[in-house]
């Protein structure tokens, strides 16, 4: 029996364990496999294999029972996830349903999740922008949060590493606050988007409207063919899973690449209960897992652990990893674990009309979504009554108009004889929120899930800085639209709860001082240095770029460091 136990433990021992198989976890797995480490990837959800498990990817609209709409019964049963723009009949199988995985809202928060291999990399908006030192310097300049322990030069080569493999389309725009990258050809702006871009450049200093940078293969390179991926077909049905691998997802790219190395084992249906800590060794020794099908508890062992469960779940895992050394959560000597959670503010929009350029229309679809306006407030100096700033999207479009007037033959004629609308333009904000101690997550003391793990309690809300920023966005975009000659300008704000941005960050923040942060400059826990956290939980501040590219670069950089340390 003793030999059997030894053999069993040996079979459950790896060089590295990666918790999570999504955006950052997929990259950790790929990098570890490339470097020859025997690696276990743990995923709490089901397996989703590229192409094989995209059931709706090639369906026509009339093949859906409800023409792509979600039934009233499903909407009523899922009031939270139903608010997500991508939750439709064609993709709802990739979303966590409200009752399947409950959580406690101490304050309203729409927690949108995807529990499967690949996570939300199947569902993301695929917008990819680098950070600059204007972003990393933010907390040090205004004193909110703590100083980042890294700067752009530390992460720049890893951005390049990610961009070449993932495939990022964009232009070399030469904007200091939005560094250029290793780009495939951009998806171009249309006639009205170009008009607005030129107008802004001529009439405003340090404001830009550029082609949005996105993780789509506009013109694949050999490295993308080596992954089995092909050129983006501009179907814009990305949320279904792309049969061409035209956009980057863990499912089409990093996970199959990692498995192909022969060094990586993928175990789905594995909820991580906690990370095990050995007080005598002073380090983590492995992970305790609950099999979601059998409810069996299993322990796996490794020299190094990468926690990439997505921001709030990574907080949950650490909070639930207690010992006599760490009674308040693994590595939590600072008392900051679960605190200083932040997100992005998408709650303001503006729409208008353009009466010109009627000789032009668009042909096909733009998977990049149109234009992107990098942050222009409080970049070179503090110029407003709020801290930090916002980016914005911008797009212009026309559509076919038909009339449903009449009866019988008249109705048929009206439906057949459609016409082009005038140009419509629109923008949405993506504002940075300030990490605050009062915005936190914690374990609920009385409620547990079906695997015996405490439910996560979320207390996150907007503040006065967000309100001021939203007001400024509306004022500035209204003025810019008016200046450009757009008409019928209508700004709108909504009362959405935090979370619907799906960019929650923080709780396990990086910093120089172990007394005020959880992670060092390499993403290691200050107090347990063989545990790395490289997903959104590690963010010290949020800036206003889409964050996934940065998470991926963090993961690759951290693996490189961990392997270098092991060789020492």
């Amino acid at each position: 029996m003793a030999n059997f136990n030894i053999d069993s433990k040996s079979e459950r021992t790896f060089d590295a364990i990666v918790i999570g198989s999504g955006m950052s976890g997929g990259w950790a797995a790929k990098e570890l496999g490339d470097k020859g480490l025997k690696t276990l990837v743990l995923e709490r959800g089901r397996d989703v294999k590229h192409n094989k498990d995209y059931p709706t990817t090639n369906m026509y609209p009339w093949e859906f029972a409800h023409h792509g709409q979600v039934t009233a019964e499903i909407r009523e049963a899922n009031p939270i996830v139903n608010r997500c723009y991508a939750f439709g009949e064609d993709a709802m199988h990739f979303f966590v349903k409200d009752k399947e995985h409950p959580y406690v809202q101490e304050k309203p928060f729409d927690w949108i999740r995807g529990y499967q291999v690949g996570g939300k990399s199947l569902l993301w908006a695929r917008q990819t922008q680098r950070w600059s030192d204007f972003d990393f310097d933010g907390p040090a300049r205004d004193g909110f949060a703590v100083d980042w322990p890294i700067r752009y030069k530390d992460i720049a080569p890893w951005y390049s590493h990610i961009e070449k493999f993932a495939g990022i389309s964009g232009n070399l725009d030469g904007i200091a606050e939005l560094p250029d990258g290793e780009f495939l050809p951009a998806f171009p702006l249309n006639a009205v988007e170009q008009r607005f871009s030129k107008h802004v450049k001529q009439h405003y200093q340090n404001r830009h409207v550029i082609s949005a940078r996105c993780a789509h293969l506009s013109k694949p390179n050999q490295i993308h063919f080596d992954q089995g991926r092909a050129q983006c077909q501009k179907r814009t049905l990305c949320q279904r899973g792309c049969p061409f691998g035209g956009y980057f997802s863990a499912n089409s790219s990093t996970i199959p690449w990692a498995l192909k190395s022969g060094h990586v084992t993928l175990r789905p249906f594995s909820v991580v209960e906690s990370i095990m800590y050995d007080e005598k060794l002073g380090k983590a020794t492995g992970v305790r897992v609950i099999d979601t099908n059998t409810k069996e508890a299993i322990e796996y062992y490794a020299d190094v652990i990468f926690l990439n469960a997505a921001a709030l779940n990574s907080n949950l895992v650490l909070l639930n990893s207690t010992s006599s050394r760490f009674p308040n959560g693994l590595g939590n000597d600072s008392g900051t674990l679960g605190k200083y959670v932040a997100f992005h503010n998408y709650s303001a929009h503006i729409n208008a009309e353009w009466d010109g350029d009627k000789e032009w229309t668009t042909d096909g679809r733009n998977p990049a979504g149109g234009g992107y306006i990098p942050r222009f407030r409080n970049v070179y100096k503090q110029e407003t009554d709020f801290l930090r700033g916002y980016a914005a999207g911008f797009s212009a479009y026309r559509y076919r108009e038909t009339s449903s007037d009449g009866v019988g033959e008249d109705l048929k004629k009206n439906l057949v004889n459609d016409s082009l609308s005038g140009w419509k333009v629109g923008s949405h904000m993506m504002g940075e929120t300030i990490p605050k101690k009062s915005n936190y997550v914690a374990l609920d003391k009385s409620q547990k899930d079906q695997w015996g793990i405490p439910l996560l309690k979320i207390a996150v809300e907007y503040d006065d800085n967000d309100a001021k920023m939203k007001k400024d966005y509306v004022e500035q975009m209204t003025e810019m639209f008016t200046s450009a000659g757009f008409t019928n300008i209508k700004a709108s704000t909504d009362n959405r709860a935090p979370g619907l941005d799906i960019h929650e960050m923080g709780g396990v923040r990086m910093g120089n001082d172990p007394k005020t942060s959880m992670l060092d400059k390499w993403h290691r826990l200050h107090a347990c240095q063989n545990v790395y956290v490289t997903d959104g939980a590690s963010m010290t501040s949020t800036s206003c770029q889409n964050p996934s590219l940065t998470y991926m670069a963090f993961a690759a950089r951290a693996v490189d460091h961990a392997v270098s340390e092991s060789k020492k």
Side-chain angles (χ1 to χ4, degrees):
M1 181 62 71
N3 288 335
F4 175 79
N5 288 336
I6 291 172
D7 291 343
S8 175
K9 183 173 181 179
S10 175
E11 291 173 358
R12 290 179 283 115
T13 299
F14 297 81
D15 297 324
I17 292 174
V18 179
I19 302 171
S21 64
M23 198 70 72
S24 61
W27 267 98
K30 180 257 180 196
E31 295 293 298
L32 289 162
D34 282 352
K35 295 178 187 298
L37 273 71
K38 181 184 176 185
T39 302
L40 175 66
V41 179
L42 297 168
E43 167 55 51
R44 69 178 296 154
R46 64 188 175 97
D47 194 6
V48 173
K49 288 185 170 58
H50 179 51
N51 262 339
K52 179 182 176 183
D53 296 316
Y54 304 158
T56 64
T57 188
N58 286 319
M59 287 176 63
Y60 290 100
W62 57 85
E63 294 181 291
F64 290 95
H66 306 97
H67 288 245
Q69 301 296 309
V70 176
T71 65
E73 182 182 9
I74 294 174
R75 289 199 306 271
E76 291 167 5
N78 297 278
I80 296 172
V81 70
N82 181 60
R83 288 192 276 269
C84 180
Y85 73 96
F87 186 74
E89 191 177 20
D90 63 343
M92 60 185 179
H93 47 280
F94 290 142
F95 286 88
V96 166
K97 308 306 183 293
D98 292 2
K99 292 181 180 179
E100 292 174 357
H101 298 277
Y103 61 99
V104 179
Q105 298 184 65
E106 191 164 286
K107 296 174 182 176
F109 188 91
D110 292 339
W111 192 12
I112 309 298
R113 293 158 288 170
Y115 289 167
Q116 63 260 326
V117 169
K120 297 191 296 291
S121 75
L122 286 166
L123 299 165
W124 66 311
R126 305 165 307 283
Q127 300 290 296
T128 46
Q129 306 98 19
R130 292 188 178 199
W131 279 37
S132 73
D133 276 335
F134 292 108
D135 306 299
F136 287 111
D137 286 344
R141 285 194 295 171
D142 58 39
F144 274 78
V146 295
D147 188 16
W148 279 88
I150 59 172
R151 289 297 187 266
Y152 178 69
K153 63 180 175 59
D154 300 305
I155 197 69
W158 296 102
Y159 276 137
S160 294
H161 179 69
I162 300 300
E163 289 162 344
K164 291 174 184 177
F165 189 87
I168 307 300
S169 298
N171 288 318
L172 299 177
D173 298 299
I175 301 170
E177 55 269 34
L178 197 76
D180 291 328
E182 309 284 344
F183 294 145
L184 305 174
F187 292 93
L189 300 175
N190 64 37
V192 175
E193 291 163 353
Q194 289 178 20
R195 175 183 290 276
F196 187 56
S197 176
K198 291 176 182 177
H199 176 84
V200 169
K201 185 175 182 179
Q202 292 171 357
H203 293 86
Y204 296 89
Q205 186 176 8
N206 297 323
R207 298 191 187 189
H208 312 274
V209 181
I210 63 172
S211 291
R213 301 170 180 178
C214 64
H216 284 259
L217 300 181
S218 59
K219 187 178 180 182
N221 291 326
Q222 187 60 48
I223 187 61
H224 308 120
F225 295 132
D226 293 344
Q227 297 169 47
R229 298 168 62 198
Q231 184 172 352
C232 172
Q233 302 299 300
K234 306 178 186 177
R235 304 189 318 155
T236 62
L237 300 174
C238 311
Q239 70 278 4
R240 300 181 183 184
C242 180
F244 305 95
Y247 74 86
F248 172 84
S249 69
N251 307 73
S252 67
S253 180
T254 48
I255 291 296
W257 187 277
L259 295 174
K260 189 171 64 175
S261 74
H263 302 297
V264 176
T265 300
L266 175 64
R267 192 184 199 282
F269 302 110
S270 302
V271 173
V272 171
E273 185 244 26
S274 61
I275 296 172
M276 300 179 293
Y277 180 80
D278 188 305
E279 296 186 29
K280 292 182 180 179
L281 296 175
K283 66 177 185 177
T285 55
V287 172
R288 184 174 293 108
V289 164
I290 308 297
D291 186 292
T292 62
N293 294 318
T294 66
K295 306 291 178 72
E296 177 188 9
I298 310 170
E299 294 179 351
Y300 293 97
Y301 304 89
D303 294 326
V304 63
I305 296 166
F306 284 82
L307 179 54
N308 301 86
L312 300 190
N313 272 322
S314 289
N315 275 270
L316 189 157
V317 169
L318 292 177
L319 286 164
N320 203 42
S321 301
T322 57
S323 61
S324 57
R325 168 67 180 87
F326 296 113
N328 299 311
L330 181 62
N332 192 20
D333 287 346
S334 64
T336 61
L337 177 59
K339 300 181 177 69
Y340 303 100
V341 173
F343 54 99
H344 281 151
N345 182 359
Y346 276 81
S347 63
H349 318 265
I350 186 166
N351 296 285
E353 297 176 354
W354 168 243
D355 195 43
D357 290 303
K358 291 184 177 178
E359 70 275 24
W360 297 103
T361 187
T362 55
D363 183 28
R365 302 172 181 178
N366 183 351
Y372 179 80
I373 303 173
R375 172 185 166 188
F376 56 85
R377 293 303 242 173
N378 303 326
V379 177
Y380 292 93
K381 63 179 180 178
Q382 182 65 37
E383 57 184 332
T384 70
D385 62 348
F386 60 87
L387 298 177
R388 315 287 171 87
Y390 50 83
F394 176 78
S395 61
Y397 61 94
R398 302 180 78 179
Y399 59 88
R400 309 298 303 190
E401 290 182 309
T402 60
S403 171
S404 57
D405 293 339
V407 177
E409 191 66 27
D410 290 339
L411 174 59
K412 290 179 183 179
K413 289 179 180 179
N414 287 336
L415 292 175
V416 169
N417 297 317
D418 59 359
S419 60
L420 268 176
S421 72
W423 283 96
K424 313 293 182 181
V425 299
S427 173
H428 66 274
M429 75 173 290
M430 187 164 77
E432 177 173 0
T433 65
I434 304 299
K436 302 180 291 294
K437 188 176 182 180
S438 58
N439 278 356
Y440 69 90
V441 296
L443 301 182
D444 190 86
K445 295 180 179 179
S446 59
Q447 301 182 72
K448 295 186 177 182
D449 65 18
Q450 56 184 305
W451 301 286
I453 298 171
L455 297 188
L456 192 67
K457 180 170 59 178
I458 304 176
V460 175
E461 62 183 348
Y462 296 105
D463 64 12
D464 184 56
N465 197 71
D466 301 320
K468 291 176 180 177
M469 187 184 296
K470 183 158 62 172
K471 180 175 180 289
D472 187 77
Y473 163 82
V474 169
E475 291 173 349
Q476 294 301 312
M477 293 306 299
T478 298
E479 195 278 328
M480 291 165 69
F481 274 26
T482 302
S483 172
F486 299 151
T487 59
N488 197 23
I489 300 169
K490 296 179 180 178
S492 63
T493 59
D494 57 49
N495 295 318
R496 68 177 67 192
L500 202 55
D501 51 284
I502 325 181
H503 289 173
E504 56 268 15
M505 299 178 232
V508 194
R509 68 183 182 185
M510 297 175 72
N512 291 301
D513 188 350
K515 294 179 180 178
T516 58
S517 61
M518 290 289 296
L519 305 173
D520 67 11
K521 65 180 181 179
W522 300 110
H523 287 264
R524 297 179 298 184
L525 287 171
H526 287 298
C528 183
Q529 297 212 330
N530 67 328
V531 175
Y532 291 76
V533 183
T534 63
D535 61 10
S538 68
M539 301 295 276
T540 304
S541 60
T542 74
S543 192
C544 54
Q545 287 91 320
N546 295 70
S548 296
L549 181 70
T550 298
Y551 301 164
M552 294 188 276
F554 283 166
R557 177 176 178 266
V559 169
D560 183 73
H561 177 264
V563 174
S564 298
E565 288 294 292
S566 69
K567 290 178 179 178
K568 293 179 184 178

